[in-house]
Amino acid sequence: MPQPLDYPTYAWQVWRGARSRGEADLDRCRRADVAGYVDFSRPLTILDLANGRLRPQYAILRAQGHRVVGIDLVNRPVSSWKARAYAVARALYAKRLRLLPAAMHANALVCGDVGRLPFPDATFDLVTSVAAFEHFLDVPAVVTEVARVLKPGGVVWAAIHVFTAPSGGHNLSFAEVPLRHVPPGVDPWDHLRRRRLPFSVPLNEWRIRNYLAVFGRHFEIIHHYCHMREGEHLLTPEIEAELTARGYTRDELTCGAYVIVARR
C-alpha cells in the first residue's frame, strides 16, 4: 500500500540518481560474486529474468557489450500515461548511469512466462534476477527452466526481496529501501502476524531456506548471503519473542534482500 509521499519521493530519488546508484551497486555485487565462474572479459549471453518495466540491469549489461535478453510479462507495447511515465524514468536511469539511450532499447525484450522459457537448452552463460523471485508463484518450475537454459558451468545470480523482512509484504512504503518507518497504526511484520493490511501484488511467501532447497536440487550453490539488512530497530523484544516462538529467526526477520549464486 503506497504511502502518500511515496510517488514524489521515488521520482526525486530517480531524478537525483539514488536509484541508479543502487542499481550500479547491484551490478558491482554481481560481478564480484560470479568472479572466477563467469568471464566478463568477453561478451556473454545473459538472460535478465523478469526484467521489470524500468529494466536497469538489462541496460547496464547491454552497455557492457553483452548479448542480453529480458523476459517479463510486462514486455508488451502499451500506450498510456503510465507507459510514458516509465519511459521518462528509463531515460533518467540511463542518464544517471551514463549509458547510451540504445542500452534501454526494447529490441531484445521478450513478453513471456518465466515458468516456460521460450529458449533452447543451454543458451545462456548467466541468468540474473533482481527482486522478482518472491513474485513467482511456481518457483520450482522457474528454477527448473533456468537450469535448462543455462549452459553447463553457467551461473544464476538472484537477489530476492525476502518475505520475512519488515517490507516483505510489499504493502508498506516502496520509496524507503531499506525500510525505516512503519505507518502509524500498523504493527511491524504485520504480514507475518495479524495481516490487517492486504497484499497488492502476488507473493509466494517463501522463506530463505525454501529457495536454497529448490536451487540446491538443480545447481551447486556457490555463495549465498544477506545483501541488505532492515528493521533491527523495529524488532522489539516482544515482537521477536512472538515470531521466534513461531520458528522465525532474527537473521531472516531483518534480512531485506538475499542473494543466491549457483552454478549449473
Side-chain angles (χ1 to χ4, degrees):
M1 182 173 62
Q3 300 304 301
L5 294 178
D6 275 358
Y7 289 104
T9 300
Y10 185 86
W12 180 247
Q13 291 168 348
V14 173
W15 175 259
R16 295 285 292 177
R19 291 282 169 165
S20 298
R21 287 192 292 273
E23 297 293 339
D25 179 62
L26 285 169
D27 176 56
R28 285 191 291 271
C29 288
R30 178 175 51 226
R31 291 175 68 93
D33 288 343
V34 304
Y37 302 97
V38 176
D39 181 8
F40 275 101
S41 68
R42 63 180 180 85
L44 300 171
T45 303
I46 301 175
L47 177 62
D48 187 7
L49 195 72
N51 52 264
R53 289 184 173 89
L54 293 171
R55 49 183 187 264
Q57 295 301 315
Y58 166 88
I60 288 170
L61 291 165
R62 279 165 57 98
Q64 294 170 0
H66 303 297
R67 298 180 293 272
V68 186
V69 177
I71 184 166
D72 200 313
L73 290 174
V74 303
N75 293 342
R76 57 170 60 91
V78 176
S79 180
S80 67
W81 69 266
K82 186 177 289 188
R84 290 189 288 274
Y86 274 114
V88 171
R90 286 193 295 270
L92 282 171
Y93 266 98
K95 181 177 181 180
R96 299 306 182 210
L97 289 165
R98 299 182 179 180
L99 308 179
L100 293 175
M104 279 286 184
H105 199 281
N107 59 348
L109 295 178
V110 174
C111 179
D113 179 357
V114 294
R116 299 181 65 182
L117 296 174
F119 310 113
D121 296 356
T123 297
F124 299 100
D125 301 296
L126 173 68
V127 174
T128 185
S129 177
V130 175
F133 264 90
E134 64 272 15
H135 300 295
F136 300 156
L137 300 185
D138 190 349
V139 177
V142 177
V143 175
T144 299
E145 280 292 274
V146 169
R148 180 183 64 80
V149 302
L150 267 174
K151 297 176 183 177
V155 172
V156 54
W157 186 92
I160 304 166
H161 187 172
V162 185
F163 182 74
T164 50
S167 61
H170 289 60
N171 52 5
L172 300 175
S173 171
F174 65 81
E176 283 193 353
V177 181
L179 184 75
R180 295 178 293 278
H181 305 94
V182 174
V186 176
D187 292 329
W189 287 274
D190 170 77
H191 61 296
L192 299 183
R193 301 167 70 204
R194 297 170 181 83
R195 297 208 173 185
R196 292 172 176 167
L197 292 181
F199 299 159
S200 59
V201 294
L203 293 168
N204 57 44
E205 304 189 25
W206 276 37
R207 294 169 68 172
I208 293 169
R209 66 189 186 197
N210 302 126
Y211 289 111
L212 291 173
V214 76
F215 272 90
R217 293 185 199 130
H218 297 274
F219 299 97
E220 172 196 359
I221 297 177
I222 55 180
H223 196 25
H224 60 98
Y225 63 95
C226 183
H227 174 74
M228 181 193 73
R229 290 284 172 190
E230 66 175 15
E232 288 97 335
H233 65 294
L234 300 172
L235 192 60
T236 64
E238 294 77 17
I239 294 175
E240 184 172 5
E242 175 190 337
L243 292 175
T244 54
R246 294 169 51 192
Y248 296 103
T249 67
R250 183 181 184 89
D251 190 62
E252 65 180 332
L253 291 170
T254 60
C255 181
Y258 201 82
V259 168
I260 297 175
V261 189
R263 181 169 60 177
R264 176 81 165 85

